[in-house]
C-alpha cells in the first residue's frame, strides 16, 4: 500500500464528504535513540509556524484542526488533519464526485 | 499498518544509518474532482516557505532534500524527505516570529 493511499484512510462521515481536507505530517526519525531526550523537541513550535504559513493559502479554523502526536520506534510523528471550509472553493457545484 | 510505520519505510542504506531524517508530507484531498483545475495549486509555493521555516530549526542542505509530488484519486501529495546533517543546530536560535 502506498503512502498516498494511506492518507485520509478513514472514510469521511457523510457530513464531511463535501469538504476538502488537508493533512500535514511531520515526522522525525532519530538514528540514535539515546538522543531522543537530548535533542530539543521543536516539532510543536514548528507546527505553529507551519499553520501560520498555511493560513496564508487556505482559510483554517482552529476547531477544524485535529492534531495527533505519536512516538514509536524512534520516530516522532506530528499529524495535522484539517478540514477546509467550503467557502474557499469556487461556486461551481457541478457533479460532485 | 499504521501511518507511522509507513513513514521512512525504505530501509536506509548503511551510509545513512547514522543520520537523522525528517519527513514532511502535505496532502490535500479535494472533495470535488472538478475543482482540481480551478483551485490554485499552492503546494509548490508552500513547499518553499516550509523549507524556510524548517531551516530555522534544522540545518538543511539542498542536496539532502528529496521532494516528490504525486496526484492520485483526488489527493495531491507533496512529500519532502530530508536527511539531517549530524551537526544539528541545537543552539536555540529562536528568531522572534
Amino acid at each position: 500500500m502506498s503512502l498516498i493511499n494511506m492518507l485520509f484512510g478513514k472514510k469521511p462521515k457523510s457530513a464531511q464528504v463535501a469538504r476538502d481536507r488537508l493533512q500535514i505530517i511531520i515526522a522525525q526519525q532519530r538514528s540514535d535513540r539515546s538522543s531522543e531526550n537530548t535533542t530539543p523537541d521543536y516539532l510543536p513550535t514548528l507546527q505553529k509556524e507551519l499553520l501560520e504559513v498555511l493560513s496564508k493559502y487556505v482559510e483554517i479554523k482552529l476547531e477544524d484542526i485535529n492534531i495527533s502526536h505519536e512516538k514509536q520506534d524512534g520516530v516522532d510523528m506530528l499529524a495535522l488533519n484539517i478540514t477546509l471550509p467550503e467557502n474557499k472553493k469556487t461556486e461551481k457545484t457541478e457533479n460532485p464526485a
Side-chain angles (χ1 to χ4, degrees), chain A:
Chain A
M1 193 184 202
S2 75
L3 188 58
I4 204 165
N5 287 324
M6 198 81 190
L7 299 166
F8 310 108
K10 296 166 200 147
K11 288 275 175 218
K13 296 194 183 99
S14 55
Q16 297 177 320
V17 167
R19 311 279 295 270
D20 287 1
R21 294 192 292 160
L22 194 66
Q23 195 167 65
I24 301 172
I25 294 161
I26 307 164
Q28 177 160 24
Q29 185 184 47
R30 289 188 170 90
S31 56
D32 180 6
R33 298 291 294 275
S34 66
S35 72
E36 270 183 55
N37 300 317
T38 55
T39 54
D41 191 4
Y42 57 86
L43 293 191
T45 322
L46 184 58
Q47 167 198 314
K48 277 185 209 155
E49 294 210 39
L50 290 183
L51 284 175
E52 278 168 30
V53 169
L54 261 177
S55 63
K56 287 197 242 171
Y57 299 93
V58 284
E59 198 185 316
I60 297 176
K61 289 179 191 159
L62 275 183
E63 66 262 32
D64 288 336
I65 305 175
N66 186 294
I67 297 171
S68 67
H69 194 174
E70 280 182 54
K71 284 191 185 201
Q72 191 183 301
D73 299 330
V75 176
D76 196 356
M77 183 184 84
L78 186 71
L80 283 79
N81 250 299
I82 303 161
T83 306
L84 299 175
E86 288 180 82
N87 57 1
K88 80 165 242 311
K89 288 192 293 185
T90 53
E91 295 85 295
K92 272 189 186 175
T93 41
E94 48 180 27
N95 307 331

